[in-house]
Amino acid sequence: EPEVTQTPSHQVTQMGQEVILRCVPISNHLYFYWYRQILGQKVEFLVSFYNNEISEKSEIFDDQFSVERPDGSNFTLKIRSTKLEDSAMYFCASSRETGRLNGYTFGSGTRLTVV
Amino acid sequence: AQKITQTQPGMFVQEKEAVTLDCTYDTSDPSYGLFWYKQPSSGEMIFLIYQGSYDQQNATEGRYSLNFQKARKSANLVISASQLGDSAMYFCAMRGSGGSGGYQKVTFGTGTKLQVIP
């Protein structure tokens, strides 16, 4: 069964450093997303991406965050200058076109620890 | 706006017994999808079951079934014959059809921590 692949599974970074989280969505999906889950809390939407541009973002997704699809397969989330409160699990997801609401797949997540 | 409410922060169930995890939702979208995910302590999000708002029958996937009551806006997850490996966090989530295109975000509830007792 097709999967959304995220790398690395764990990342530790120093406060103030830039970090890039990587995702390979399912190949025939066109819509891409990032979500965040702070430890012990619910999963929160960060951003959605379609046709090489951001289609929606939450208030969490401030100027420190950016997303990119640098080639035909990868989808990345960059945090420019990490803060302690950026420590969380980050999930990538992808979905097909409209018509099937259940065609939505999450990756297994990247656990980011900022020290 | 969409909202998912899970009122049970924690639940215990005896091994081999059935358990129901509650979920209520609110949306103005005419069609929507409801999901349940399992999150073990390792952190990954595991898809369990999906129910479309226009599906005529309640969804079932092995030991998981979704008790969908549209008029009450509830989508409870039933796990039959609980196993020790079912101990995890369970999230109810919703995806709406609002907005143009297919990029509708998923809204999550706060989760229910299920512990299966031997």
Side-chain angles (χ1 to χ4, degrees):
Chain A
E1 190 167 325
E3 289 184 343
V4 174
T5 305
Q6 288 188 244
T7 55
S9 55
H10 292 88
Q11 178 146 6
V12 181
T13 189
Q14 285 202 321
M15 191 170 57
Q17 294 294 305
E18 176 184 285
V19 66
I20 298 176
L21 309 182
R22 301 180 192 279
C23 169
V24 179
I26 293 174
S27 61
N28 64 347
H29 283 189
L30 299 176
Y31 303 87
F32 314 112
Y33 315 83
W34 284 101
Y35 289 77
R36 179 183 82 175
Q37 184 185 29
I38 294 172
L39 183 65
Q41 299 186 22
K42 70 175 182 179
V43 180
E44 301 171 291
F45 169 77
L46 288 178
V47 65
S48 59
F49 190 86
Y50 169 70
N51 201 26
N52 284 320
E53 61 183 24
I54 291 173
S55 45
E56 186 179 357
K57 60 182 181 179
S58 71
E59 56 239 24
I60 303 169
F61 193 87
D62 61 21
D63 292 343
Q64 291 297 316
F65 292 91
S66 62
V67 289
E68 194 177 31
R69 188 155 162 84
D71 52 42
S73 59
N74 290 287
F75 178 52
T76 61
L77 174 70
K78 182 193 291 186
I79 309 174
R80 287 193 183 81
S81 177
T82 49
K83 309 185 194 75
L84 295 176
E85 54 264 36
D86 293 327
S87 295
M89 183 75 111
Y90 289 83
F91 292 101
C92 174
S94 68
S95 69
R96 305 179 227 179
E97 298 181 35
T98 51
R100 291 200 65 186
L101 288 174
N102 63 333
Y104 204 103
T105 305
F106 281 88
S108 53
T110 294
R111 190 180 298 276
L112 176 66
T113 303
V114 182
V115 297
Chain B
Q2 297 166 4
K3 187 177 180 183
I4 294 281
T5 302
Q6 294 180 254
T7 56
Q8 306 155 313
M11 291 276 288
F12 289 92
V13 63
Q14 204 77 36
E15 194 178 5
K16 298 179 186 173
E17 297 289 309
V19 63
T20 298
L21 306 184
D22 293 340
C23 173
T24 58
Y25 61 91
D26 194 21
T27 182
S28 56
D29 285 342
S31 66
Y32 47 89
L34 294 155
F35 303 80
W36 277 92
Y37 290 90
K38 173 184 178 181
Q39 187 178 43
S41 56
S42 51
E44 71 267 31
M45 200 67 72
I46 301 169
F47 167 77
L48 294 179
I49 197 166
Y50 168 83
Q51 177 83 44
S53 60
Y54 287 106
D55 292 344
Q56 294 297 316
Q57 292 186 323
N58 286 346
T60 60
E61 290 283 351
R63 294 187 298 112
Y64 304 107
S65 60
L66 201 151
N67 184 2
F68 180 49
Q69 298 188 45
K70 194 170 181 178
R72 293 185 178 184
K73 293 189 174 180
S74 75
N76 298 339
L77 176 71
V78 181
I79 306 174
S80 63
S82 297
Q83 301 171 357
L84 295 178
D86 294 334
S87 294
M89 197 75 165
Y90 288 81
F91 289 97
C92 181
M94 159 183 279
R95 185 184 185 196
S97 59
S100 58
Y103 41 84
Q104 301 89 18
K105 65 184 181 186
V106 172
T107 300
F108 284 81
T110 50
T112 295
K113 185 170 184 178
L114 177 68
Q115 295 188 59
V116 181
I117 305 165

